[in-house]
């Protein structure tokens, strides 16, 4: 099996900058003056490039984006509760919403682009379908994370899922040591990546992370946007490549 080598440190920063530059219904904008984000409420998450603050005021979950020199946008995202989990990156916010179904707590997962208010993910059932014969299932989310291109999460039952904002199946692969590269089962924007089981769910959730890989040198190459899915016991870690972005040097190279 062919794996994708990590980017060489010499070009990693330049490739990352080039990749980020390439990078549903809108929620209402609450305010739009030029300036920094409001300081009211309790901050839940922050990010830069652009500046985003996610916070709560009472039971309201809100987000503000304030690009330098541009008008800020403040949005009401959802109802906040003590079970809400939040992640923010690259101008997008991902969060969970707790509800009760049949007397049991279950979570939905949402991702929105703060500036436009566009919701590109709303997964009412946190455990996505593993195949065409099995429906998605209600579950609780242990952790959610996003990089703006994709949102990933792990459920209490150990399901590892990822939703991709813009899907290109030619650049979508799940692989690992001794594991042939395959395109995982997908329902709409959401991919079923792995079932770790309840006993390993918390450990897998803690170690789940995004990364960059691919082939490249000072003249250019390809950047792979990856989700690193941890292994456990004898099960190997997996890598989910959800986007591949060509990169070329803008000046002399070689």
């Amino acid at each position: 099996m062919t794996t994708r080598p990590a980017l060489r440190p010499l070009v990693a920063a330049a490739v990352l900058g080039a990749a980020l530059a390439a990078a549903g219904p809108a929620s209402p904008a609450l305010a739009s003056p030029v300036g920094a984000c409001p300081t009211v409420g309790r901050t839940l998450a922050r990010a830069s490039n652009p500046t985003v603050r996610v916070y709560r005021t009472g039971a309201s979950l809100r987000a503000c984006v304030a690009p330098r020199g541009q008008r800020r946008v403040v949005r009401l995202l959802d109802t906040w509760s003590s079970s809400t989990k939040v992640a923010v990156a690259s101008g997008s916010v991902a969060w969970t919403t707790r509800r009760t179904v049949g007397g049991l707590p279950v979570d939905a997962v949402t991702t929105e682009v703060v500036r436009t208010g566009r919701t590109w993910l709303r997964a009412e059932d946190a455990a996505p379908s593993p195949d065409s014969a099995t429906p998605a299932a209600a579950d609780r989310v242990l952790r959610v994370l996003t990089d703006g291109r994709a949102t990933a999460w792990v459920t209490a039952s150990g399901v590892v899922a990822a939703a991709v904002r813009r899907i290109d199946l030619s650049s979508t692969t799940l692989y690992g040591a001794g594991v042939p590269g395959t395109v995982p089962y997908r329902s709409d924007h959401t991919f079923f990546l792995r079932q770790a089981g309840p006993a390993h769910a918390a450990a897998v959730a803690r170690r789940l992370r995004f990364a960059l890989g691919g082939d490249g040198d000072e003249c250019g190459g390809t950047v792979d946007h990856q989700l690193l899915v941890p292994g456990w016991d004898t099960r190997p870690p997996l890598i989910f490549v959800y986007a591949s972005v060509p990169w070329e040097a803008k000046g002399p190279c070689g």
Side-chain angles (χ1 to χ4, degrees):
M1 179 202 63
T2 302
T3 59
R4 302 173 186 241
L7 289 173
R8 297 195 303 180
L10 177 64
V11 299
V15 170
L16 176 59
L20 291 178
S27 62
L30 302 181
S32 57
V34 173
C37 288
T39 58
V40 298
R42 177 181 176 186
T43 300
L44 304 176
R46 289 183 183 273
S48 57
N49 297 322
T51 298
V52 178
R53 178 185 179 231
V54 185
Y55 60 103
R56 71 174 181 92
T57 54
S60 296
L61 179 67
R62 303 174 187 268
C64 168
V65 60
R68 181 175 298 179
Q70 299 182 37
R71 299 178 70 84
R72 77 183 188 192
V73 176
V74 180
R75 296 193 182 277
L76 173 64
L77 301 178
D78 209 332
T79 300
W80 177 89
S81 74
S82 59
S83 62
T84 300
K85 296 175 177 60
V86 175
V88 58
S90 300
S92 290
V93 179
W95 72 91
T96 63
T97 306
R98 179 66 52 87
R99 65 194 193 282
T100 301
V101 177
L104 298 175
V106 298
D107 289 331
V109 183
T110 307
T111 306
E112 179 176 304
V113 181
V114 182
R115 169 158 288 281
T116 64
R118 179 176 177 267
T119 298
W120 62 264
L121 170 65
R122 178 69 179 183
E124 295 289 347
D125 295 316
S129 301
D131 52 55
S132 60
T134 308
D139 207 340
R140 292 182 296 111
V141 173
L142 298 182
R143 183 184 175 213
V144 64
L145 59 159
T146 191
D147 70 348
R149 289 178 178 266
T151 294
W153 63 96
V154 180
T155 72
S157 67
V159 173
V160 184
V164 180
R165 184 176 173 186
R166 296 184 179 93
I167 296 173
D168 178 5
L169 292 181
S170 65
S171 302
T172 303
T173 310
L174 182 67
Y175 67 97
V179 180
T182 60
V183 178
Y185 184 78
R186 173 177 65 93
S187 177
D188 194 19
H189 285 262
T190 304
F191 293 83
F192 179 97
L193 301 183
R194 181 165 238 180
Q195 172 56 268
H200 304 287
V204 169
R206 284 195 303 270
R207 294 158 53 206
L208 190 72
R209 66 184 180 90
F210 290 111
L212 292 178
D215 295 302
D217 56 25
E218 64 274 15
C219 294
T222 301
V223 179
D224 283 348
H225 292 262
Q226 305 174 345
L227 178 69
L228 307 185
V229 183
W232 65 92
D233 296 337
T234 60
R235 300 292 295 274
L238 300 177
I239 298 175
F240 177 50
V241 177
Y242 52 90
S244 293
V245 180
W247 175 78
E248 295 182 358
K250 294 183 178 180
C253 67

